[in-house]
Amino acid sequence: MAKLKVGILISGRGSNMAALIAAARAPDYPAEIAVVVSNVASAAGVETAKEAGVPTAVVPHKQFPDRESFDRVVSAELEKHGVGLVALAGFMRIQSPWFAMRWKDRIINIHPSLLPAFPGLRVQQQAIDAGVRISGCTVHFVTPELDSGPTIAQAAVPVLADDTADTLAVRILRQEHLLYPLVVRWFAEGRLTVRGAQVTVTGVPRGATLLFSPDP
Ligand code: GRF
C-alpha cells in the first residue's frame, strides 16, 4: 500500500522532526516524510532534514503582508509534494483560519504540556510555577485557536522538586519523540476518528496507549 506523505513544518531545532524522519526509515512504517518546510532559513532542523535526504523548503514569513498569504504559499509547497498529513513540530507561527480549514483533520501539533493546561510559550516554567506534580506532552488536531483542538494522545512525566524549565523540557522531549511517531503511525493506519472535541483511536493493542511514564 502507498505510504502516507507527511509534511513537517518547523521553525527551529527540529528534534521532533528528526524523530519522525528516523521512525519513517523503518520499512514497515506506514508514512514517509515528503517535505520539511521552515519559515526560518537558519533553522537547525533544515540542515538536519537535508542531511537525511528529505526535501526542504524555506518560506520566510516576513516576506508576506499577512498570515494567509504566507499560509497559501506553505500550503502550495505541501501540495506540490502530495502531502496528506501536516505535522507541526516547533512551528512558531499561528495558522490563519484559512490554513486550518484547508487542512482540517489533516493537521496535527505537538505541545510540551498536558493541554488544556499551559498553552502558549515557556510552558515548562508555567508548569513549575503552578506547582503541578505531573506534566507531559499532547498531540492534538489543529484548529484556528492556539494550542487547542481535539486531543489525540498524551504522555505524562513527573515534575521533580529540583526541576528547572530545562530539565523538565528534556524529560518531556524524550516522551515527545516517542509519542509523535506513534500518533503519525495511527493516523496513517486510519485509526483516528474525530467527533467534535473527541478523537477515538481504534484497533490499537491494549497497552500501546498506556502512555503514563512514571520512570523518567
Ligand atoms: C517541542 O517541545 C514541541 O513540543 C514544541 O516546540 C518544541 C520543538 O522542539 N511545539 P523541536 O524543534 O522539535 O526540537
Side-chain angles (χ1 to χ4, degrees):
M1 218 173 85
K3 293 192 177 203
L4 172 77
K5 291 184 193 297
V6 178
I8 306 178
L9 305 191
I10 64 165
S11 298
R13 178 178 57 185
S15 70
N16 278 289
M17 173 209 75
L20 289 171
I21 291 174
R25 281 209 192 97
D28 67 340
Y29 196 74
E32 64 186 270
I33 311 308
V35 65
V36 168
V37 183
S38 174
N39 65 312
V40 179
S42 60
V46 175
E47 246 355 271
T48 310
K50 279 185 184 158
E51 281 162 18
V54 174
T56 59
V58 174
V59 184
H61 61 274
K62 286 188 185 138
Q63 291 176 4
F64 296 87
D66 52 42
R67 250 180 237 294
E68 190 175 315
S69 50
F70 165 74
D71 281 354
R72 282 181 184 271
V73 173
V74 171
S75 205
E77 208 47 69
L78 296 167
E79 280 158 23
K80 202 169 88 187
H81 289 87
V83 164
L85 173 69
V86 182
L88 308 184
F91 186 59
M92 303 302 282
R93 304 297 302 164
I94 296 171
Q95 275 73 50
S96 62
W98 177 85
F99 195 84
M101 281 316 290
R102 167 65 187 81
W103 295 96
K104 189 174 183 306
D105 296 344
R106 286 185 299 142
I107 177 165
I108 59 178
N109 180 44
I110 187 155
H111 181 81
S113 77
L114 295 176
L115 290 171
F118 316 129
L121 296 174
R122 301 182 65 248
V123 298
Q124 295 85 359
Q125 193 60 50
Q126 285 190 53
I128 289 169
D129 292 347
V132 298
R133 300 308 204 237
I134 293 173
S135 191
C137 54
T138 302
V139 178
H140 63 93
F141 282 106
V142 172
T143 56
E145 298 77 38
L146 182 68
D147 296 331
S148 74
T151 294
I152 304 167
Q154 295 182 307
V157 303
V159 181
L160 304 179
D162 58 354
D163 263 335
T164 63
D166 288 344
T167 59
L168 180 57
V170 168
R171 193 174 309 120
I172 294 173
L173 209 53
R174 232 179 273 144
Q175 298 303 314
E176 293 186 42
H177 297 164
L178 300 174
L179 190 64
Y180 219 7
L182 183 64
V183 170
V184 169
R185 169 186 282 280
W186 289 344
F187 184 97
E189 291 173 345
R191 295 184 190 278
L192 305 182
T193 313
V194 195
R195 263 186 227 97
Q198 265 139 25
V199 179
T200 35
V201 185
T202 51
V204 176
R206 242 181 119 74
T209 52
L210 200 63
L211 288 164
F212 178 74
S213 320
D215 180 9

